[in-house]
Amino acid sequence: MKTITAGVLGTGRIGKIHANNLLRMDGVRLKRVADPFVDFKEWPPPPVVVSRTPDDVLNDPEIEAVLVCSPTPTHADFTEQAARAGKHVFCEKPIALDPDRVRQTLKVVERACVKLQVGFNRRFDPTFARVHQAVVNGEVGDVHLVRITARDPAAPPLEYVKASGGMFVDMTIHDFDMVRFLSGSEIEEVHAYGAVLVDPEIGKTGDVDTALTTMRLSSGALAVIENSRQAVFGYDQRIEVFGSKGGIEAHNETPAQTVLRTDAGIRSENPLYFFLERYQRSFMIELEAFFSSIREDKAPPAEGNDGLAALLVGLAAKQSLRENRPVRVEELASSAPKKTR
Amino acid sequence: MPTQSKKAAHAPARQGGDGPMSQTTLAVIGVGRIGRMHTENLVRAIPDAYVKTVASRTQVDPAWADSLGIPVRSTDVDKVLRDPEIEAVVITAPSGLHVELIEKAAAAGKHIYCEKPVAFEPERIERAQAAVAAAGVKLQVGFNRRFDPSLVALWEKVRAGGVGDVHQVRVTNRDPKAPPVEFVKRSGGLFFDFAIHDFDTVRFLSGSEIVELFAVGAVLVDPEIGKAGDIDTAVITARLANGALAVIDCSRQTNYGYDQRFEVFGSKGSIIVDNLTPTTVVASSTGGVVADKPFENFVGRYRDAFIAELSDFVRCVRDDVPVRVGAPDALAAVHAAVAAKASHEEKRPVGLADAFQLVGEGTSR
């Protein structure tokens, strides 16, 4: 297997996870990491070269692939710079909060003829991948309904909420991608109900913390997503695809699979606490897929256009909530100059 | 179970219970599938009930009535209602006759249990409501889920603060097999005939009212249902008066049994009611780990609920206390159905206040 030399921009929480996964991965050599806010005293292990400026990664001719894990406002710039330098890019979602900005980035990537994979890690979760496989195999027949429950264990800090673009763009965007991924169909129309039930401070920022989003898909199927910023019992991540032959459901995963029976009742375990625990395996698998697509010169399994599609649905959901009406996604797509493909 | 009293063969055996003094005497009007089920439950499982009469527009099967020890079989409802011994009636006649029968029974001073739907039109439910109010009799409506042991336990936990403040209510309601198109045509449609239970369940579990809803429907199971002007798949989301949100997903056909799941999610956690299965057998082999499918239909799944609702009705009549689910609940559920139909057709969220308006304008069924 050909070894690919990689660099990582941004070594915060997710960047560090990705970098550590690269260190464990066959056929990949992590050469450099860059982050202006990290002192790198205890990490990473040698011989990984550390620096405070992204240019050291972007200008290194040996580096073929760059992982963009820096704060969201820098994603588009770094992706473009890496692409122009002829490097394949793995970019954490979202590429940008403005669809026009995303389109611009996708054009740069296309012109540079490099791969771009977006960090929709849930597609690579073994449980959800099995749900997807069941749909592809025809085990549930034609898809009639996709139902997703996605609830975080605790509301994020208010500072995050203010900068995140809102719940539909920062949180539900993963679920919109799962609806597209699992149904194999495009989301055409969205209606969202939202409420502030967890924390009034979230409401003051103009966001919601609880939502129900209904969708019509291009295949004719329906989809519904239930979101909450706070499920006190843990990260509540359940998916069901229901179709003409039956349904397949993915339950929550737990740290261990025990049932405790006492006179107080029958107790099983709380779900894995948050996304780092629940989707741990998916982070490794998504990067393996990214490097395979480079090695085999094929399209990555979650591309820039997937990021754009989910973003547009998120913006449509925001608009639906604001105007209390169903919003067709093409209303947003057509407002901008041109589709990327 | 109480013992059957021994009587001469030509006189029907007295049904269970300690004797006529402790029993409420009932007539069942309409002995189709549901009517027969309720009759059998009353006779076999509710010792406080005595079914004296079964009435039907057509001849009642005498062997069936004999087997249950029911002495009177009638094709004349008016005569049945003139019988002073009859204290209460169970109306399981075709839906279109419900309101008229309620009015007659109320005028005759009988307490009434009526299968859902009382009517598809809010103003007709109001007519029935006025009739029972004027006569001072009770009217219980057949929202059987309110008596299901699992849902009652869920509701009690919610009421006791088990989930904290309610944030989301979720109802999954899917039938095992699509009904014949002939049934669909006279059913009133998915929102009126099927989701009506879900609207009531949302109200019951949340302890709140539906303020506004948005419905999307599709024809995915059977194109014939579409040709009949109905849908077979729907998702309904709603805003409730207490600020919470609710979601209902419906399908006319699962192929794996009657899928009935419920969840109430709130500030302190979540409570789920999963499908019940006929047995708890789990068979593991190289082909996989296989458990029972859910019950095949509502008769199996809600068997306990059907018994409990009539048992409670009989208790309410005997003790003269208010019924747990009545005309106002039927009315609220139908208003939600009217709103859902309008929402689906007009592709917009519809407020329940607007649904009242729609009814006034006669733009809906």
Side-chain angles (χ1 to χ4, degrees):
Chain A
M1 185 162 47
K2 176 182 171 279
T3 293
I4 297 170
T5 303
V8 174
L9 297 178
T11 55
R13 191 166 57 176
I14 193 71
K16 200 169 169 184
I17 287 170
H18 286 321
N20 280 331
N21 280 337
L22 294 184
L23 290 171
R24 261 179 264 146
M25 200 176 289
D26 289 339
V28 176
R29 170 185 164 227
L30 175 60
K31 185 178 176 191
R32 288 178 181 273
V33 298
D35 194 309
F37 307 110
V38 174
D39 65 14
F40 297 121
K41 273 184 186 152
E42 296 178 359
W43 183 92
V48 179
V49 185
V50 301
S51 72
R52 297 197 165 272
T53 157
D55 296 342
D56 293 347
V57 174
L58 295 166
N59 295 334
D60 184 334
E62 238 193 350
I63 290 179
E64 295 159 83
V66 173
L67 277 55
V68 179
C69 313
S70 47
T72 300
T74 65
H75 284 181
D77 283 344
F78 287 162
T79 300
E80 288 173 9
Q81 287 173 39
R84 286 201 181 99
K87 302 183 193 315
H88 303 293
V89 184
F90 174 93
C91 183
E92 269 305 326
K93 67 92 213 172
I95 297 169
L97 296 176
D98 172 9
D100 286 339
R101 186 75 187 84
V102 177
R103 288 188 184 97
Q104 187 190 319
T105 302
L106 299 193
K107 259 182 215 153
V108 172
V109 169
E110 202 177 349
R111 242 178 263 139
C113 292
V114 293
K115 313 280 179 209
L116 170 61
Q117 182 169 327
V118 176
F120 283 132
N121 58 295
R122 289 188 199 170
R123 290 186 177 213
F124 306 90
D125 172 70
T127 297
F128 295 162
R130 167 69 190 112
V131 173
H132 179 248
Q133 201 54 50
V135 174
V136 171
N137 293 348
E139 290 170 67
V140 299
D142 298 331
V143 174
H144 290 181
L145 177 73
V146 178
R147 189 163 62 73
I148 297 179
T149 301
R151 298 170 181 149
D152 281 355
L158 281 176
E159 287 314 306
Y160 175 86
V161 171
K162 284 177 193 163
S164 75
M167 190 166 78
F168 294 113
V169 170
D170 101 74
M171 181 173 161
T172 322
I173 195 158
H174 277 291
D175 308 315
F176 293 135
D177 184 62
M178 286 309 283
V179 168
R180 294 182 66 247
F181 174 62
L182 293 176
S183 67
S185 188
E186 289 297 330
I187 297 168
E188 288 193 336
E189 189 183 274
V190 190
H191 176 271
Y193 274 133
V196 181
L197 301 172
V198 173
D199 182 357
E201 293 300 318
I202 291 176
K204 285 182 197 159
T205 70
D207 201 4
V208 292
D209 53 39
T210 303
L212 295 176
T213 309
T214 320
M215 285 141 282
R216 280 187 184 280
L217 311 185
S218 55
S219 64
L222 306 177
V224 60
I225 298 168
E226 308 158 23
N227 288 131
S228 171
R229 286 284 198 189
Q230 181 171 292
V232 293
F233 50 88
Y235 196 38
D236 193 2
Q237 301 282 299
R238 288 172 286 155
I239 280 180
E240 179 179 22
V241 180
F242 172 78
S244 57
K245 286 187 184 168
I248 183 163
E249 196 176 7
H251 284 298
N252 281 316
E253 294 188 4
T254 52
Q257 284 71 43
T258 66
V259 178
L260 177 67
R261 300 186 180 91
T262 67
D263 67 350
I266 315 295
R267 214 182 107 176
S268 47
E269 298 187 35
N270 290 67
L272 286 161
Y273 183 70
F274 207 179
F275 69 95
L276 294 180
E277 294 85 4
R278 170 66 184 81
Y279 295 121
Q280 189 189 18
R281 287 182 295 174
S282 74
F283 294 122
M284 184 66 143
I285 300 168
E286 70 174 342
L287 287 186
E288 282 167 351
F290 172 60
F291 287 101
S292 300
S293 66
I294 294 171
R295 245 176 243 120
E296 296 161 26
D297 191 21
K298 60 183 188 192
E303 288 190 276
N305 279 323
D306 296 310
L308 179 61
L311 174 65
L312 289 174
V313 178
L315 295 172
K318 266 176 100 167
Q319 191 173 339
S320 169
L321 182 68
R322 212 163 43 232
E323 299 175 5
N324 195 19
R325 67 175 179 96
V327 171
R328 293 188 65 80
V329 179
E330 67 184 18
E331 288 180 41
L332 285 105
S334 58
S335 68
K338 234 185 175 183
K339 273 195 146 184
T340 48
R341 207 163 276 198
Chain B
M1 280 291 289
T3 52
Q4 296 278 97
S5 65
K6 292 184 186 78
K7 286 203 174 180
H10 60 271
R14 189 73 195 177
Q15 296 155 26
D18 301 330
M21 299 309 287
S22 69
Q23 288 180 314
T24 300
T25 302
L26 297 111
V28 176
I29 302 171
V31 287
R33 187 183 180 201
I34 299 278
R36 283 204 299 276
M37 179 193 75
H38 282 317
T39 306
E40 287 161 18
N41 283 341
L42 284 163
V43 170
R44 290 178 182 148
I46 304 174
D48 296 342
Y50 171 59
V51 181
K52 182 183 176 187
T53 306
V54 282
S56 170
R57 283 186 298 182
T58 54
Q59 197 69 38
V60 177
D61 175 10
W64 173 74
D66 281 347
S67 73
L68 295 167
I70 298 167
V72 183
R73 308 95 202 253
S74 174
T75 53
D76 183 349
V77 168
D78 296 315
K79 197 176 157 197
V80 170
L81 292 174
R82 280 197 300 274
D83 180 347
E85 271 185 34
I86 302 289
E87 297 162 79
V89 295
V90 170
I91 298 175
T92 45
S95 304
L97 304 174
H98 285 178
V99 173
E100 188 197 341
L101 287 169
I102 288 170
E103 285 176 326
K104 280 185 178 182
K110 312 299 186 198
H111 298 291
I112 303 155
Y113 166 93
C114 182
E115 252 313 319
K116 71 93 213 170
V118 173
F120 298 134
E121 306 83 353
E123 63 275 11
R124 296 193 61 212
I125 299 175
E126 282 164 356
R127 246 176 65 194
Q129 196 173 8
V132 296
V137 296
K138 300 178 196 309
L139 170 59
Q140 181 171 323
V141 177
F143 283 136
N144 55 296
R145 283 188 198 159
R146 288 192 181 228
F147 298 87
D148 176 68
S150 295
L151 286 172
V152 168
L154 169 53
W155 171 67
E156 280 172 355
K157 282 186 201 298
V158 170
R159 208 174 43 154
V163 300
D165 299 329
V166 174
H167 290 182
Q168 292 174 350
V169 177
R170 184 161 64 73
V171 176
T172 293
N173 179 17
R174 299 172 192 159
D175 253 356
K177 281 274 178 235
V181 174
E182 284 314 306
F183 172 85
V184 169
K185 280 179 186 163
R186 55 186 164 78
S187 72
L190 184 92
F191 297 121
F192 286 84
D193 140 66
F194 194 67
I196 195 100
H197 277 292
D198 308 320
F199 298 131
D200 185 63
T201 302
V202 165
R203 295 180 63 244
F204 172 56
L205 293 179
S206 67
S208 188
E209 294 294 333
I210 298 172
V211 173
E212 184 190 288
L213 53 75
F214 178 73
V216 287
V219 182
L220 301 170
V221 173
D222 183 358
E224 293 301 317
I225 292 177
K227 283 182 200 156
D230 201 7
I231 50 174
D232 52 40
T233 306
V235 176
I236 304 149
T237 48
R239 279 189 187 284
L240 309 184
N242 63 4
L245 304 177
V247 54
I248 296 164
D249 73 87
C250 293
S251 171
R252 287 281 196 188
Q253 181 162 303
T254 63
N255 290 312
Y256 56 78
Y258 190 40
D259 193 354
Q260 301 283 294
R261 286 174 286 159
F262 307 88
E263 177 173 15
V264 179
F265 171 82
S267 57
K268 287 186 181 169
S270 140
I271 301 176
I272 287 174
V273 171
D274 215 328
N275 280 313
L276 302 189
T277 52
T279 79
T280 56
V281 167
V282 175
S284 303
S285 69
T286 53
V289 179
V290 179
D292 266 16
K293 291 187 285 186
F295 279 100
E296 187 52 39
N297 57 41
F298 61 84
V299 176
R301 169 61 185 85
Y302 289 117
R303 188 178 45 200
D304 291 343
F306 286 121
I307 293 169
E309 67 174 341
L310 280 181
S311 179
D312 203 60
F313 171 64
V314 169
R315 179 187 66 85
C316 290
V317 168
R318 189 192 60 208
D319 298 347
D320 191 20
V321 294
V323 295
R324 266 163 56 185
V325 53
D329 302 300
L331 197 54
V334 162
H335 275 127
V338 169
K341 189 164 185 269
S343 173
H344 168 62
E345 286 171 0
E346 298 167 22
K347 290 176 154 279
R348 65 178 179 94
V350 174
L352 271 275
D354 297 341
F356 282 89
Q357 198 68 32
L358 289 166
V359 170
E361 289 163 4
T363 52
S364 192
R365 52 172 313 114

